[in-house]
Amino acid sequence: MFSILRFSISHKLYCFIANSLAKTVSAFLVLFLVALQGINTELSAQTFTRITIDNDATWARGVSWIDFDNDGDLDLYITNNDYSGVITFVAEKNRNKFFRNDGNDVFVPIIPEGMADDTSFTLGQTWADYDNDGNMDLYTANVNAIYETTLNTPTTLGSALYRNQGSPDYLFTRLASGEASSLNRIGGFAAAWGDYDNDGYVDLFITTPSTSFYPNEVQTNILFDNNGDGTFARSSTSPIVNVPADFYTIPSWSDYDLDGDLDLYITAGPIQNGVLQPDYFFKNMLKETDVATFERDTTSNFASEPRDAQQANWIDFDNDGDLDLYVTNFGGTPGINVGMANDLYRNDDGEYTKITSGAPVANRNVSFGQIWGDFDNDGDLDLYVTNFTSQFNFGGNDYYQNDGAPDYSFARIRTGDFVTGNRASWGAASGDYDNDGDLDLYVTINSLTAGPARDALYRNDANNGNNWINIQCVGTASNRAAIGAIVRVKATVFGNTFWQMREISSQNAANGHNSLRAHFGLGDATLIDSISVTWPSGMIDIATNVSPNAFMTATEGSQIVVSIDERVPFVGPESFLLHQNFPNPFNPSTTIRFSLQQREEVTLRVFDVVGREVATLVNDELPGGDHSVVFAAGELASGVYFYTLSAGQFIQTRKALLMK
């Protein structure tokens, strides 16, 4: 199902001076320029300016860029602990950190009401709009072993779900009842939201290396199915939770085979025990069997190879339209011995070729986190890897610049504060916090192995004249945060025409994630040929002939994309329209969307097969535009139902199937 996006945008125009190169040069000159480019890459590096926003960090873990207050800029949440020994432990400093972006490089530290009593020992975090109300909600994966085993201080709290109450104050409420309640003492290393059953609501997966969390308790990985009414049901039958206790670290939802459902990769690095083992990769069988269950893959080379893995990312680093795989490995002890090389698998039409040479797989640092982003806006994904370094060195963090077509090889950048050695880093995340068209970077640095912790916000000040586009996706039939949506952009960049691809993910960094806005570098492209958004619902929205250097919002099924920073007047749809409900069949609830050309008195009613009205979903005057409403079937019996939209002279009816 397709709809065409009509772009009504306010552009941020940037004047660049373009240097042209004659198309015909001698072979000698070509080789000379290539060599010179390699030298310049090494010397000029990537231009980041370090900005201090906090001098009180201790052991920062995960980080995420999110717009929690819906004001159009990216805010920052950091999981932060204070622990380097019993004597030095300060409970009051054992707080996660929340920074509101007020613009002009000003970040205001806040702890919204509802989060203030969070004294758990937090590792991971993941953000999504789990109740589809337009506000980003938070789940923190907490361990608490420090309190119970080392400090002999029992705690009643485990991992926690915080619901964002939205405007005007954007306070957060910690869930205190139900399966996902923090009172259930759920221990977690990391967590990730993903709508694996494609019902329009994000589900939640939590990894638990149980032996290190609570004394004398064995906990397994956890899957919470979203019921669509603000509650969750814990799955006890899924293969992804019925696996042996192990050193599970970070889960990653991704539709790696692009068949329309989310698969799950769980890294299981044993960390420093000298034993390597395969990770846990589960293929989602929803599209094959119409049932969202999982089968573990133990035969593919990426799934069967023993390693000490910490984080996996599926990305299209070579712009060929399929997802490749990169895995970071620990393999050593910070300050004592080196680690093991990271793994890169290139997807060659479904066959995975392990890359055994080149910068991203050559270094043997003690690696943990990784993020991918086009930091230089040249049309390909670059790589940033965080390492557990120490005063005894073994590296520093690594930045690998993608050299692009035709070879898509990488050059390691060694200059700049963001790759300086003697810093122990857990994670990093990228997002364009200053809305200037390039990706900025936050790196978590801890004090356990690198001396005093130092704040690490890096503003991207690259000024290479490259163009870009930034797209915020909003689901309607799909989950509101668009987790799992795949965004593609086609343009001619430096003489090569290709599609770039981004997958919206809530766990593509170590214990956190990058901004959910899809960012694309476009190099010298002055026109985007096509933009395509494939939604988890299966709907595909397409736009053509789009100008670059703009922030846009793509709403599922809508014909409008608007600027997020300079709001333009709403342009309504060209006609009234009642959409097919999704999901359909459904149980127990489904979403009905409709579009109004202008303000009208609207009724939306549901009838059974004999014409009896069973529900009135809307009876009000509504403005023009796109609307959605949830039909909760409640105690209604299975069968066919009809829903009818009346708006002025417009009347339309569609059929829905309830299957209990």
Side-chain angles (χ1 to χ4, degrees):
M1 129 181 11
F2 298 85
S3 66
I4 304 299
L5 298 178
R6 182 178 69 249
F7 285 83
S8 175
I9 51 180
S10 295
H11 292 283
K12 286 184 173 180
L13 298 178
Y14 295 85
C15 296
F16 303 117
I17 300 175
N19 296 318
S20 61
L21 179 67
K23 293 184 178 179
T24 305
V25 292
S26 67
F28 174 80
L29 182 57
V30 170
L31 293 175
F32 173 77
L33 291 173
V34 169
L36 182 60
Q37 180 183 9
I39 295 174
N40 286 340
T41 296
E42 181 67 27
L43 294 178
S44 63
Q46 174 72 34
T47 305
F48 285 105
T49 300
R50 186 167 181 164
I51 297 173
T52 298
I53 63 173
D54 177 35
N55 286 315
D56 196 28
T58 49
W59 188 354
R61 307 294 186 114
V63 56
S64 295
W65 289 103
I66 38 85
D67 183 8
F68 85 95
D69 52 2
N70 293 330
D71 64 351
D73 55 30
L74 296 176
D75 310 295
L76 188 64
Y77 189 80
I78 304 165
T79 54
N80 181 73
N81 312 132
D82 181 84
Y83 184 74
S84 57
V86 176
I87 297 177
T88 62
F89 180 76
V90 180
E92 290 74 17
K93 289 186 177 182
N94 188 48
R95 302 281 185 177
N96 297 332
K97 294 182 177 291
F98 205 168
F99 295 95
R100 186 186 67 233
N101 185 351
D102 282 355
N104 298 317
D105 297 333
V106 175
F107 286 83
V108 178
I110 59 172
I111 292 293
E113 183 180 340
M115 289 184 178
D117 58 349
D118 181 12
T119 57
S120 298
F121 192 84
T122 304
L123 295 179
Q125 57 171 294
T126 181
W127 292 78
D129 184 359
Y130 80 85
D131 50 3
N132 288 343
D133 66 349
N135 304 304
M136 295 297 294
D137 310 299
L138 167 67
Y139 191 85
T140 59
N142 304 330
V143 294
N144 297 336
I146 297 298
Y147 287 95
E148 297 205 358
T149 59
T150 307
L151 302 175
N152 196 27
T153 304
T155 176
T156 60
L157 299 178
S159 301
L161 175 59
Y162 297 94
R163 179 181 176 272
N164 187 340
Q165 299 177 31
S167 180
D169 299 319
Y170 293 95
L171 303 179
F172 286 78
T173 301
R174 185 205 300 260
L175 250 64
S177 62
E179 292 278 13
S181 166
S182 61
L183 299 179
N184 290 341
R185 288 171 50 85
I186 294 169
F189 188 96
W193 296 101
D195 183 9
Y196 78 93
D197 52 5
N198 284 354
D199 66 350
Y201 293 91
V202 286
D203 310 294
L204 181 64
F205 185 77
I206 306 156
T207 52
T208 305
S210 61
T211 56
S212 62
F213 279 11
Y214 292 110
N216 304 315
E217 295 183 29
V218 176
Q219 297 190 6
T220 63
N221 292 337
I222 295 167
L223 173 63
F224 284 125
D225 289 318
N226 192 332
N227 294 325
D229 58 1
T231 66
F232 294 83
R234 181 170 178 174
S235 173
S236 61
T237 60
S238 176
I240 64 178
V241 299
N242 288 316
V243 288
D246 211 331
F247 291 88
Y248 301 107
T249 47
I250 298 175
S252 301
W253 292 107
S254 176
D255 184 8
Y256 88 106
D257 51 3
L258 301 178
D259 67 347
D261 52 36
L262 287 176
D263 310 288
L264 182 64
Y265 194 115
I266 311 171
T267 52
I271 301 182
Q272 302 182 56
N273 67 0
V275 177
L276 304 181
Q277 64 184 36
D279 294 321
Y280 292 76
F281 175 74
F282 293 92
K283 177 175 171 55
N284 191 340
M285 304 304 295
L286 176 61
K287 293 301 178 179
E288 290 80 1
T289 66
D290 291 326
V291 178
T293 188
F294 295 88
E295 290 185 359
R296 185 180 178 189
D297 180 355
T298 58
T299 59
S300 297
N301 58 341
F302 64 82
S304 60
E305 182 176 349
R307 58 171 63 90
D308 188 8
Q310 306 306 311
Q311 186 197 345
N313 260 331
W314 294 95
I315 38 56
D316 185 13
F317 79 87
D318 52 0
N319 290 333
D320 65 349
D322 52 31
L323 291 173
D324 313 293
L325 175 64
Y326 190 74
V327 185
T328 52
N329 291 307
F330 208 85
T333 303
I336 298 176
N337 53 40
V338 296
M340 64 182 296
N342 298 327
D343 295 323
L344 176 63
Y345 297 88
R346 187 184 64 230
N347 187 343
D348 296 322
D349 296 324
E351 296 293 327
Y352 293 87
T353 301
K354 185 174 182 179
I355 307 301
T356 57
S357 62
V361 297
N363 298 322
R364 296 178 60 86
N365 289 323
V366 183
S367 298
F368 193 81
Q370 55 164 304
I371 57 171
W372 293 76
D374 190 356
F375 292 99
D376 51 6
N377 282 344
D378 65 348
D380 46 56
L381 287 171
D382 309 301
L383 169 63
Y384 188 79
V385 178
T386 57
N387 301 311
F388 268 42
T389 55
S390 73
Q391 296 99 320
F392 306 101
N393 210 351
F394 296 135
N397 295 331
D398 295 315
Y399 176 72
Y400 303 101
Q401 190 173 68
N402 192 334
D403 291 334
D407 298 325
Y408 291 96
S409 58
F410 291 83
R412 184 184 180 189
I413 304 301
R414 300 173 183 269
T415 57
D417 185 88
F418 70 119
V419 291
T420 300
N422 300 331
R423 292 178 184 160
S425 294
W426 182 287
S430 67
D432 186 3
Y433 80 82
D434 51 0
N435 287 345
D436 66 347
D438 51 39
L439 290 175
D440 308 297
L441 177 68
Y442 192 95
V443 184
T444 59
I445 296 177
N446 71 68
S447 59
L448 182 63
T449 57
R454 287 154 288 184
D455 182 64
L457 172 63
Y458 294 100
R459 187 186 64 215
N460 190 341
D461 288 334
N463 189 22
N464 54 19
N466 288 338
N467 298 324
W468 50 273
I469 198 75
N470 197 305
I471 304 170
Q472 173 79 43
C473 295
V474 179
T476 54
S478 304
N479 69 88
R480 181 67 178 260
I483 305 299
I486 295 178
V487 186
R488 296 177 174 90
V489 168
K490 180 182 179 183
T492 300
V493 180
F494 300 125
N496 299 295
T497 302
F498 50 83
W499 286 93
Q500 298 182 59
M501 177 167 54
R502 306 287 187 266
E503 188 175 30
I504 309 302
S505 171
S506 66
Q507 189 58 258
N508 50 15
N511 295 100
H513 55 83
N514 300 324
S515 164
L516 299 183
R517 306 188 318 203
H519 173 90
F520 296 86
L522 296 169
D524 64 347
T526 57
L527 185 69
I528 299 169
D529 177 87
S530 303
I531 296 177
S532 168
V533 182
T534 302
W535 303 90
S537 68
M539 184 180 296
I540 301 175
D541 291 335
I542 298 174
T544 58
N545 298 324
V546 179
S547 297
N549 300 335
F551 288 88
M552 301 176 178
T553 298
T555 302
E556 184 177 11
S558 177
Q559 299 181 23
I560 185 79
V561 174
V562 299
S563 167
I564 65 170
D565 58 336
E566 296 177 273
R567 312 281 179 176
V568 301
F570 177 81
V571 178
E574 296 178 353
S575 63
F576 294 100
L577 182 63
L578 177 63
H579 298 271
Q580 183 63 53
N581 65 299
F582 182 85
N584 190 40
F586 70 97
N587 178 30
S589 63
T590 186
T591 298
I592 299 172
R593 298 185 301 110
F594 57 93
S595 301
L596 304 177
Q597 192 175 33
Q598 61 194 28
R599 178 175 290 275
E600 291 281 5
E601 289 287 343
V602 177
T603 61
L604 179 60
R605 295 185 173 94
V606 182
F607 303 88
D608 63 18
V609 291
V610 297
R612 292 175 299 198
E613 182 177 332
V614 298
T616 298
L617 303 180
V618 178
N619 185 14
D620 200 358
E621 181 179 309
L622 298 179
D626 297 312
H627 303 271
S628 65
V629 62
V630 175
F631 170 39
E635 301 301 321
L636 294 177
S638 298
V640 175
Y641 293 86
F642 299 90
Y643 54 98
T644 298
L645 176 70
S646 298
Q649 301 299 313
F650 176 83
I651 300 177
Q652 187 174 359
T653 299
R654 288 187 178 272
K655 181 171 65 176
L657 178 60
L658 172 61
M659 295 182 63
K660 292 187 174 181

